[in-house]
């Protein structure tokens, strides 16, 4: 299977590559549109700040390419947030794949949310073999609002969408590559989609 | 709900763990990668590696270790010790570290915290603070707690938060090594001072100490070394007891 991790100069993408390697799958890093288009599965990662990440996507033309992909695409963390309509971080327009808007947690809670939280209201094959209230590892200051595209929710300040799906596009706020065996199960499930 | 975190800390010198570790029958208990894997399987929520190598050669070995840990371990980990520049952090994150912890270098040049959070995001910037209570004041120390500074723990914590730190790792030098419990009075005051997560460090000796630091100290995570390394407290048992006492943990 041909797995491509979109490499647009952001974040710790080696961890995702290593996570697939632990599952016995070699994933390649690429920013080349032809290679990404030809992949069986695409991972769209992201760590850092939204507006600068979006600038880097635009620089390489990937902002146009990603919404047109037809194979399963999994956005992780900031990747998921960039797939949304809009994010308050740096007042950034997203790729518009998901209609959710991304907002900042208020100071009523500690920001960033850092650590393990439960995922609930699981709705997709992405969560096969994963149970309601299993734990995933999260680090984020911004969250996607709960909406009808949510396939998992978590509670922090309020109930928010910790995973989204629309057609062939999936997005997860948590880091499956860092979420122990539950995260590994999710990555396995993604490979089977 | 977001859980409280249990964080074993490993001291590393020239790529090997320093203190003996004998909580489980391992083929090579000096190999941090083997240990890290074991801790992940035993239920640790994340790991901290503190590099105490004094030489350049030792630091290079650290990069290889970070790479191997990232390859083999499926929980997040933080690397600290001797980090003093954006380049140092860039290297470690490229090797697969999730977070870095800075201490003395932030005291010497506080702008480093801004530079790191701007470039890599707050989520990977942990500021470690070693402080000692002297005449009712919590005085920040640098260079592994050997040199007192003019800084007060709470002012310094507030400052690093404003500069973009994503988390504070507070070690009470009064409590460290005593096994008499965490510095919960200072911790709760710290929790009321900043709005970023706090890792409590120094003083873990019993399960009840962990209960207290979460309940009384309002800590978000608790770090310990020897009680885990020598099998005095088993992480799974600890977490079961925490849950029994209504503290949210990942089991």
């Amino acid at each position: 299977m041909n797995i491509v991790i979109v490499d647009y100069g952001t974040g710790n993408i080696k961890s995702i590559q290593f996570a697939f390697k632990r599952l016995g799958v070699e994933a390649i890093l690429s920013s080349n549109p032809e290679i990404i288009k030809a992949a069986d599965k695409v991972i769209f990662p992201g760590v850092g700040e939204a507006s600068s990440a979006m600038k880097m996507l635009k620089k390489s033309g990937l902002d146009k390419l990603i919404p047109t992909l037809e194979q399963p695409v999994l956005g992780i963390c900031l990747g998921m947030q960039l797939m949304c309509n809009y994010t308050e971080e740096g007042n950034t327009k997203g790729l518009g794949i998901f209609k959710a808007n991304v907002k900042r947690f208020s100071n009523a809670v500690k920001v960033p949310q850092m650590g393990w939280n439960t995922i609930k209201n699981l709705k997709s094959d992405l969560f096969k073999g994963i149970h309601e209230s299993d734990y995933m590892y999260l680090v984020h200051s911004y969250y996607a609002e709960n909406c009808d595209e949510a396939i998992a929710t978590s509670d922090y300040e309020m109930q928010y969408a910790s995973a989204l799906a629309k057609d062939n596009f999936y997005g997860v706020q948590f880091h499956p590559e860092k979420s122990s065996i539950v995260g590994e199960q999710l990555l396995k499930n993604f490979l089977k989609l | 709900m977001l859980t409280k975190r249990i964080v074993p800390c490993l001291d590393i010198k020239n790529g090997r763990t320093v203190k003996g570790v004998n909580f489980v029958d391992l083929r090579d208990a000096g190999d941090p990668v083997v240990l890290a894997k074991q801790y992940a399987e035993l239920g640790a929520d994340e790991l901290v590696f503190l590099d105490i190598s004094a030489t350049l050669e030792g630091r290079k070995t650290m990069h290889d270790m970070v790479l191997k840990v990232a390859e083999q371990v499926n929980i997040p980990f933080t690397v600290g010790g001797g980090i003093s520049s954006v380049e140092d952090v860039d290297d470690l994150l490229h090797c697969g570290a999730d977070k870095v912890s800075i201490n003395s270098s932030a005291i010497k040049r506080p702008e480093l915290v801004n530079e790191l959070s701007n470039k890599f995001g707050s989520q990977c910037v942990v500021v470690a603070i070693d402080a000692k209570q002297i005449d009712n004041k919590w005085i920040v120390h640098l260079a592994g707690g050997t040199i007192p500074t003019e800084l007060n723990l709470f002012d310094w914590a507030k400052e690093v938060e404003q500069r973009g730190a994503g988390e504070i790792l507070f070690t009470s030098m009064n409590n460290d090594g005593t096994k008499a419990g965490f510095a919960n009075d200072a911790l709760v005051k710290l929790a009321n001072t900043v709005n970023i997560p706090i890792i409590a460090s120094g003083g873990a000796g019993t399960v009840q100490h962990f209960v207290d630091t979460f309940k009384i100290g309002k800590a978000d995570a608790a770090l310990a070394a020897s009680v885990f390394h020598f099998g005095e407290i088993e992480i799974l048992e600890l977490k079961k007891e925490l849950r029994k006492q209504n503290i949210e943990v990942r089991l």
Side-chain angles (χ1 to χ4, degrees):
Chain A
M1 197 181 321
N2 179 7
I3 314 289
V4 175
I5 302 170
V6 180
D7 181 4
Y8 58 109
T10 163
N12 177 359
I13 52 181
K14 212 165 243 168
S15 295
I16 301 172
Q17 197 177 25
F18 287 150
F20 280 111
K21 204 170 163 189
R22 289 195 292 270
L23 298 176
V25 180
E26 289 291 335
I28 50 169
L29 308 177
S30 179
S31 57
N32 181 328
E34 293 310 313
I35 292 175
I36 295 170
K37 248 192 269 180
D40 295 316
K41 301 271 172 12
V42 175
I43 305 289
F44 178 43
V47 172
E49 198 272 333
S51 65
S52 32
M54 190 51 89
K55 262 181 219 149
M56 286 192 270
L57 271 186
K58 283 185 175 159
K59 217 162 96 185
S60 47
L62 294 171
D63 63 317
K64 298 273 185 296
L65 173 75
I66 290 169
T68 66
L69 293 172
E70 291 174 355
Q71 64 276 60
V73 177
L74 178 65
I76 297 176
C77 195
L78 181 62
M80 180 206 88
Q81 296 187 355
L82 294 177
M83 289 160 83
C84 292
N85 177 51
Y86 166 82
T87 167
E88 282 183 0
E89 191 177 21
N91 189 21
T92 308
K93 197 181 173 324
L95 299 177
I97 294 166
F98 304 127
K99 63 187 174 197
N101 288 321
V102 176
K103 296 184 165 179
R104 193 176 193 276
F105 287 120
S106 84
N107 283 342
V109 289
K110 292 202 177 190
V111 185
Q113 171 176 218
M114 190 177 286
W116 299 79
N117 199 340
T118 47
I119 51 168
K120 293 172 181 172
N121 302 307
L122 309 180
K123 268 183 209 153
S124 154
D125 281 351
L126 199 57
F127 297 107
K128 223 172 180 179
I130 296 172
H131 307 98
E132 289 283 319
S133 297
D134 273 351
Y135 292 95
M136 292 286 193
Y137 182 77
L138 302 132
V139 190
H140 61 126
S141 302
Y142 294 79
Y143 66 92
E145 290 182 294
N146 198 6
C147 60
D148 56 16
E149 289 166 354
I151 52 168
T153 65
S154 294
D155 296 324
Y156 196 65
E157 190 179 5
M158 81 291 292
Q159 190 176 66
Y160 68 93
S162 46
L164 295 161
K166 191 192 175 191
D167 307 326
N168 56 315
F169 293 98
Y170 299 82
V172 293
Q173 180 61 62
F174 44 82
H175 287 274
E177 76 279 15
K178 288 286 164 182
S179 294
S180 191
I181 48 177
V182 181
E184 284 174 3
Q185 183 63 43
L186 184 133
L187 293 178
K188 275 187 215 162
N189 292 342
F190 178 69
L191 294 178
K192 284 184 194 148
L193 288 175
Chain B
M1 237 173 95
L2 184 68
T3 72
K4 301 291 187 183
R5 286 170 279 150
I6 300 297
V7 187
C9 176
L10 296 162
D11 284 352
I12 309 294
K13 193 173 185 181
N14 304 323
R16 307 279 297 171
T17 56
V18 176
K19 293 172 196 159
V21 177
N22 62 2
F23 66 96
V24 70
D25 191 21
L26 289 174
R27 201 162 29 91
D28 185 357
D31 181 347
V33 183
V34 174
L35 271 173
K37 261 178 97 168
Q38 186 80 31
Y39 270 127
E41 281 161 20
L42 292 172
D45 294 306
E46 57 182 82
L47 300 165
V48 170
F49 296 93
L50 194 59
D51 185 15
I52 57 167
S53 309
T55 61
L56 200 61
E57 202 56 32
R59 298 235 178 278
K60 279 190 194 137
T61 318
M62 193 67 178
H63 285 167
D64 296 339
M65 187 215 81
V66 170
L67 199 62
K68 280 186 197 137
V69 171
E71 259 176 5
Q72 298 189 34
V73 176
N74 59 12
I75 59 170
F77 67 99
T78 302
V79 179
I83 298 166
S84 59
S85 69
V86 170
E87 293 72 43
D88 289 345
V89 173
D90 203 24
D91 287 347
L92 288 167
L93 295 180
H94 263 101
C95 291
D98 298 288
K99 301 187 253 184
V100 293
S101 150
I102 54 171
N103 190 338
S104 298
S105 56
I107 297 171
K108 288 177 191 152
R109 205 171 66 79
E111 301 76 35
L112 180 63
V113 181
N114 303 68
E115 290 166 15
L116 295 179
S117 67
N118 289 338
K119 180 145 174 81
F120 307 107
S122 292
Q123 81 289 334
C124 66
V125 183
V126 181
V127 175
I129 307 178
D130 298 333
K132 189 174 185 179
Q133 196 176 24
I134 304 169
D135 298 334
N136 271 324
K137 280 187 194 147
W138 282 94
I139 307 294
V140 177
H141 283 59
L142 49 72
T146 52
I147 306 169
T149 69
E150 307 269 286
L151 294 165
N152 163 288
L153 164 65
F154 307 102
D155 297 339
W156 177 233
K158 189 79 208 161
E159 180 175 344
V160 298
E161 178 188 34
Q162 282 161 354
R163 288 182 181 275
E167 193 166 42
I168 288 173
L169 165 53
F170 163 49
T171 302
S172 161
M173 293 163 57
N174 301 73
N175 300 61
D176 202 22
T178 64
K179 295 199 177 175
F182 293 90
N184 294 322
D185 291 348
L187 279 160
V188 74
K189 197 171 166 196
L190 202 54
N192 292 329
T193 305
V194 297
N195 200 45
I196 51 178
I198 296 163
I199 307 172
S201 159
T206 67
V207 169
Q208 189 61 36
H209 293 155
F210 288 88
V211 173
D212 291 344
T213 204
F214 292 134
K215 282 197 173 170
I216 301 166
K218 307 282 177 209
D220 299 284
L223 176 145
S226 57
V227 289
F228 296 140
H229 300 335
F230 298 111
E232 292 161 25
I233 297 179
E234 279 179 35
I235 293 177
L236 191 62
E237 294 306 313
L238 167 63
K239 286 177 130 184
K240 279 183 187 163
E241 184 56 33
L242 290 171
R243 183 174 275 185
K244 219 187 268 173
Q245 302 213 30
N246 295 318
I247 294 166
E248 193 80 18
V249 287
R250 177 179 68 105
L251 272 174

